């Protein structure tokens, strides 16, 4: 991860903006993300850990999360614009196990009831430049995404209640890009936005496809599709292949 961070910081330092806003702009927004969940993970901290399926084993199949953001764009050519965002992605699943699973040193028996809390909430700090700013808008930059979550599974065996916990606390440096096309109808736009990185067998991407409308007084409405894919190959002693995807709706305001 240190190698990825160093390369990302170097890339930001050598990035040169082609065009920047001539006035100060402040953007704020909030939205709701209805997501489906699929995938597996394996805890590599224990040699006897099994591959755990989020849907089939833990009963995790999707819920609704929220996100919020605040962005500042300015007219200083050398300095990047900044965007701070927070996404809440949490779900509780209940399931009767069809097969025995083991992680975090705990074994949950076949036919036992397990209750699992999954938290993949994260905070993004994005520094970016506006390379185009007319009917075609293009932003490029870098994002630091800090995950602050965990998997917690509670079950029981012949000795009483047992609990397995796997923390998901790490920072991922990501390349950021946004392409937006303003349509001839004033205020209407379509676009895509995303973050991504691939390194040493692991990859992560978070892609948004969107359409929206901004009124003349600054209020905006936006809807679209979001897909978040996380594949880890022995990162923080964890193998994982997890997908969150679904539709979202958001409100924004341009001051």
């Amino acid at each position: 991860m240190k190698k990825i961070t160093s390369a990302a910081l170097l890339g930001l330092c050598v990035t040169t903006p082609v065009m920047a806003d001539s006035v100060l702009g402040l953007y704020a927004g909030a939205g709701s993300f209805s997501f489906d969940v699929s995938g597996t993970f394996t805890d590599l901290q224990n040699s006897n850990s099994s591959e755990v399926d989020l849907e089939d084993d833990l009963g995790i199949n999707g819920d609704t999360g929220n996100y919020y953001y605040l962005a500042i764009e300015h007219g200083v050519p050398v300095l990047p614009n900044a965007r701070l965002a927070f996404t809440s992605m949490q779900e509780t699943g209940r399931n009767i196990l069809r097969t025995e699973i083991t992680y975090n040193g705990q074994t949950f028996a076949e036919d036992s009831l397990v209750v699992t809390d999954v938290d993949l909430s994260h905070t993004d700090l994005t520094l970016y430049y506006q390379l185009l700013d007319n009917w075609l808008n293009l932003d490029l930059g870098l994002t630091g995404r800090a995950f602050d979550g965990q998997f917690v599974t509670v079950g029981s065996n012949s000795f009483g209640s047992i609990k397995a916990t796997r923390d998901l606390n790490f920072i991922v440096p990501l390349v950021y890009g946004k392409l937006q096309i303003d349509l001839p109808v004033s205020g209407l736009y379509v676009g895509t936005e995303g973050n991504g990185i691939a390194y040493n067998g692991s990859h992560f991407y978070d892609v948004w496809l969107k359409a929206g409308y901004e009124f003349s007084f600054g209020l905006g409405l936006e809807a679209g599709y979001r897909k978040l894919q996380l594949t880890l190959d022995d990162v923080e002693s964890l193998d994982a292949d997890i997908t969150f995807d679904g539709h979202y709706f958001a409100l924004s305001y341009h001051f």
Side-chain angles (χ1 to χ4, degrees), residues 19-25 27 73-77 81 130 133:
M19 183 179 296
D21 273 347
S22 59
V23 296
L24 181 67
Y27 300 80
E73 297 184 351
H74 54 78
V76 183
N81 303 301
Q130 281 191 309
D133 184 22

PDB file of all heavy atoms in Angstrom, residues 19-25 27 73-77 81 130 133:
ATOM      1  N   MET A  19      -7.389  23.972 -17.421  1.00  0.00           N
ATOM      2  CA  MET A  19      -8.360  25.051 -17.283  1.00  0.00           C
ATOM      3  C   MET A  19      -8.916  25.005 -15.865  1.00  0.00           C
ATOM      4  O   MET A  19      -9.075  23.937 -15.290  1.00  0.00           O
ATOM      5  CB  MET A  19      -9.492  24.880 -18.293  1.00  0.00           C
ATOM      6  CG  MET A  19     -10.512  26.001 -18.280  1.00  0.00           C
ATOM      7  SD  MET A  19     -11.795  25.736 -19.531  1.00  0.00           S
ATOM      8  CE  MET A  19     -10.823  25.827 -21.016  1.00  0.00           C
ATOM      9  N   ALA A  20      -9.240  26.116 -15.266  1.00  0.00           N
ATOM     10  CA  ALA A  20      -9.810  26.163 -13.926  1.00  0.00           C
ATOM     11  C   ALA A  20     -10.934  27.178 -13.895  1.00  0.00           C
ATOM     12  O   ALA A  20     -11.006  28.087 -14.715  1.00  0.00           O
ATOM     13  CB  ALA A  20      -8.733  26.542 -12.899  1.00  0.00           C
ATOM     14  N   ASP A  21     -11.854  27.020 -12.921  1.00  0.00           N
ATOM     15  CA  ASP A  21     -12.938  27.980 -12.769  1.00  0.00           C
ATOM     16  C   ASP A  21     -12.374  29.360 -12.452  1.00  0.00           C
ATOM     17  O   ASP A  21     -11.409  29.500 -11.704  1.00  0.00           O
ATOM     18  CB  ASP A  21     -13.863  27.545 -11.623  1.00  0.00           C
ATOM     19  CG  ASP A  21     -14.931  26.579 -12.110  1.00  0.00           C
ATOM     20  OD1 ASP A  21     -15.082  26.455 -13.330  1.00  0.00           O
ATOM     21  OD2 ASP A  21     -15.583  25.968 -11.255  1.00  0.00           O
ATOM     22  N   SER A  22     -12.988  30.393 -12.987  1.00  0.00           N
ATOM     23  CA  SER A  22     -12.523  31.756 -12.730  1.00  0.00           C
ATOM     24  C   SER A  22     -13.167  32.351 -11.492  1.00  0.00           C
ATOM     25  O   SER A  22     -12.778  33.430 -11.064  1.00  0.00           O
ATOM     26  CB  SER A  22     -12.821  32.637 -13.955  1.00  0.00           C
ATOM     27  OG  SER A  22     -14.223  32.640 -14.216  1.00  0.00           O
ATOM     28  N   VAL A  23     -14.161  31.682 -10.934  1.00  0.00           N
ATOM     29  CA  VAL A  23     -14.819  32.169  -9.730  1.00  0.00           C
ATOM     30  C   VAL A  23     -14.897  31.042  -8.715  1.00  0.00           C
ATOM     31  O   VAL A  23     -14.760  29.870  -9.045  1.00  0.00           O
ATOM     32  CB  VAL A  23     -16.248  32.697 -10.039  1.00  0.00           C
ATOM     33  CG1 VAL A  23     -16.181  33.900 -10.947  1.00  0.00           C
ATOM     34  CG2 VAL A  23     -17.086  31.601 -10.670  1.00  0.00           C
ATOM     35  N   LEU A  24     -15.111  31.440  -7.470  1.00  0.00           N
ATOM     36  CA  LEU A  24     -15.225  30.454  -6.399  1.00  0.00           C
ATOM     37  C   LEU A  24     -16.593  29.799  -6.449  1.00  0.00           C
ATOM     38  O   LEU A  24     -17.624  30.473  -6.549  1.00  0.00           O
ATOM     39  CB  LEU A  24     -15.022  31.140  -5.044  1.00  0.00           C
ATOM     40  CG  LEU A  24     -15.099  30.227  -3.814  1.00  0.00           C
ATOM     41  CD1 LEU A  24     -13.929  29.257  -3.815  1.00  0.00           C
ATOM     42  CD2 LEU A  24     -15.093  31.070  -2.530  1.00  0.00           C
ATOM     43  N   GLY A  25     -16.618  28.477  -6.403  1.00  0.00           N
ATOM     44  CA  GLY A  25     -17.874  27.730  -6.400  1.00  0.00           C
ATOM     45  C   GLY A  25     -17.913  26.754  -5.250  1.00  0.00           C
ATOM     46  O   GLY A  25     -16.908  26.104  -4.935  1.00  0.00           O
ATOM     47  N   TYR A  27     -20.170  23.479  -3.767  1.00  0.00           N
ATOM     48  CA  TYR A  27     -21.169  22.479  -4.126  1.00  0.00           C
ATOM     49  C   TYR A  27     -21.425  21.573  -2.924  1.00  0.00           C
ATOM     50  O   TYR A  27     -20.480  21.100  -2.280  1.00  0.00           O
ATOM     51  CB  TYR A  27     -20.688  21.623  -5.295  1.00  0.00           C
ATOM     52  CG  TYR A  27     -20.385  22.387  -6.560  1.00  0.00           C
ATOM     53  CD1 TYR A  27     -19.178  23.069  -6.712  1.00  0.00           C
ATOM     54  CD2 TYR A  27     -21.297  22.424  -7.610  1.00  0.00           C
ATOM     55  CE1 TYR A  27     -18.896  23.773  -7.870  1.00  0.00           C
ATOM     56  CE2 TYR A  27     -21.024  23.114  -8.776  1.00  0.00           C
ATOM     57  CZ  TYR A  27     -19.821  23.798  -8.896  1.00  0.00           C
ATOM     58  OH  TYR A  27     -19.540  24.498 -10.048  1.00  0.00           O
ATOM     59  N   GLU A  73     -14.518  24.683  -5.604  1.00  0.00           N
ATOM     60  CA  GLU A  73     -13.776  24.950  -6.829  1.00  0.00           C
ATOM     61  C   GLU A  73     -13.425  26.432  -6.872  1.00  0.00           C
ATOM     62  O   GLU A  73     -14.219  27.279  -6.466  1.00  0.00           O
ATOM     63  CB  GLU A  73     -14.598  24.540  -8.053  1.00  0.00           C
ATOM     64  CG  GLU A  73     -14.880  23.041  -8.089  1.00  0.00           C
ATOM     65  CD  GLU A  73     -15.612  22.596  -9.336  1.00  0.00           C
ATOM     66  OE1 GLU A  73     -16.060  23.478 -10.114  1.00  0.00           O
ATOM     67  OE2 GLU A  73     -15.748  21.372  -9.546  1.00  0.00           O
ATOM     68  N   HIS A  74     -12.237  26.739  -7.357  1.00  0.00           N
ATOM     69  CA  HIS A  74     -11.719  28.107  -7.288  1.00  0.00           C
ATOM     70  C   HIS A  74     -11.002  28.462  -8.577  1.00  0.00           C
ATOM     71  O   HIS A  74     -10.927  27.663  -9.511  1.00  0.00           O
ATOM     72  CB  HIS A  74     -10.770  28.237  -6.092  1.00  0.00           C
ATOM     73  CG  HIS A  74      -9.680  27.209  -6.102  1.00  0.00           C
ATOM     74  ND1 HIS A  74      -8.573  27.303  -6.901  1.00  0.00           N
ATOM     75  CD2 HIS A  74      -9.567  26.030  -5.446  1.00  0.00           C
ATOM     76  CE1 HIS A  74      -7.805  26.260  -6.722  1.00  0.00           C
ATOM     77  NE2 HIS A  74      -8.378  25.457  -5.845  1.00  0.00           N
ATOM     78  N   GLY A  75     -10.438  29.663  -8.623  1.00  0.00           N
ATOM     79  CA  GLY A  75      -9.776  30.132  -9.830  1.00  0.00           C
ATOM     80  C   GLY A  75      -8.267  30.162  -9.762  1.00  0.00           C
ATOM     81  O   GLY A  75      -7.629  30.761 -10.621  1.00  0.00           O
ATOM     82  N   VAL A  76      -7.662  29.518  -8.766  1.00  0.00           N
ATOM     83  CA  VAL A  76      -6.203  29.492  -8.655  1.00  0.00           C
ATOM     84  C   VAL A  76      -5.670  28.343  -9.499  1.00  0.00           C
ATOM     85  O   VAL A  76      -5.912  27.178  -9.179  1.00  0.00           O
ATOM     86  CB  VAL A  76      -5.759  29.329  -7.187  1.00  0.00           C
ATOM     87  CG1 VAL A  76      -4.238  29.376  -7.090  1.00  0.00           C
ATOM     88  CG2 VAL A  76      -6.392  30.406  -6.315  1.00  0.00           C
ATOM     89  N   PRO A  77      -4.942  28.597 -10.591  1.00  0.00           N
ATOM     90  CA  PRO A  77      -4.578  27.551 -11.549  1.00  0.00           C
ATOM     91  C   PRO A  77      -3.735  26.417 -10.965  1.00  0.00           C
ATOM     92  O   PRO A  77      -3.886  25.273 -11.345  1.00  0.00           O
ATOM     93  CB  PRO A  77      -3.798  28.310 -12.624  1.00  0.00           C
ATOM     94  CG  PRO A  77      -4.242  29.733 -12.500  1.00  0.00           C
ATOM     95  CD  PRO A  77      -4.518  29.930 -11.042  1.00  0.00           C
ATOM     96  N   ASN A  81      -8.775  21.695  -6.918  1.00  0.00           N
ATOM     97  CA  ASN A  81     -10.042  21.791  -6.218  1.00  0.00           C
ATOM     98  C   ASN A  81     -10.143  20.638  -5.223  1.00  0.00           C
ATOM     99  O   ASN A  81      -9.392  19.661  -5.305  1.00  0.00           O
ATOM    100  CB  ASN A  81     -11.199  21.724  -7.217  1.00  0.00           C
ATOM    101  CG  ASN A  81     -11.105  22.811  -8.269  1.00  0.00           C
ATOM    102  OD1 ASN A  81     -11.098  23.991  -7.962  1.00  0.00           O
ATOM    103  ND2 ASN A  81     -11.024  22.404  -9.540  1.00  0.00           N
ATOM    104  N   GLN A 130     -10.035  20.865 -12.984  1.00  0.00           N
ATOM    105  CA  GLN A 130     -10.976  20.972 -14.105  1.00  0.00           C
ATOM    106  C   GLN A 130     -10.175  21.165 -15.376  1.00  0.00           C
ATOM    107  O   GLN A 130      -9.588  22.221 -15.600  1.00  0.00           O
ATOM    108  CB  GLN A 130     -11.922  22.149 -13.902  1.00  0.00           C
ATOM    109  CG  GLN A 130     -13.063  21.893 -12.950  1.00  0.00           C
ATOM    110  CD  GLN A 130     -14.088  23.012 -13.030  1.00  0.00           C
ATOM    111  OE1 GLN A 130     -13.766  24.188 -12.935  1.00  0.00           O
ATOM    112  NE2 GLN A 130     -15.335  22.638 -13.217  1.00  0.00           N
ATOM    113  N   ASP A 133     -14.212  22.948 -19.016  1.00  0.00           N
ATOM    114  CA  ASP A 133     -15.312  23.544 -18.262  1.00  0.00           C
ATOM    115  C   ASP A 133     -16.196  24.359 -19.210  1.00  0.00           C
ATOM    116  O   ASP A 133     -16.169  25.577 -19.212  1.00  0.00           O
ATOM    117  CB  ASP A 133     -14.755  24.423 -17.139  1.00  0.00           C
ATOM    118  CG  ASP A 133     -15.863  24.987 -16.256  1.00  0.00           C
ATOM    119  OD1 ASP A 133     -16.958  24.390 -16.245  1.00  0.00           O
ATOM    120  OD2 ASP A 133     -15.644  26.024 -15.595  1.00  0.00           O
TER     121      ASP A 133
END
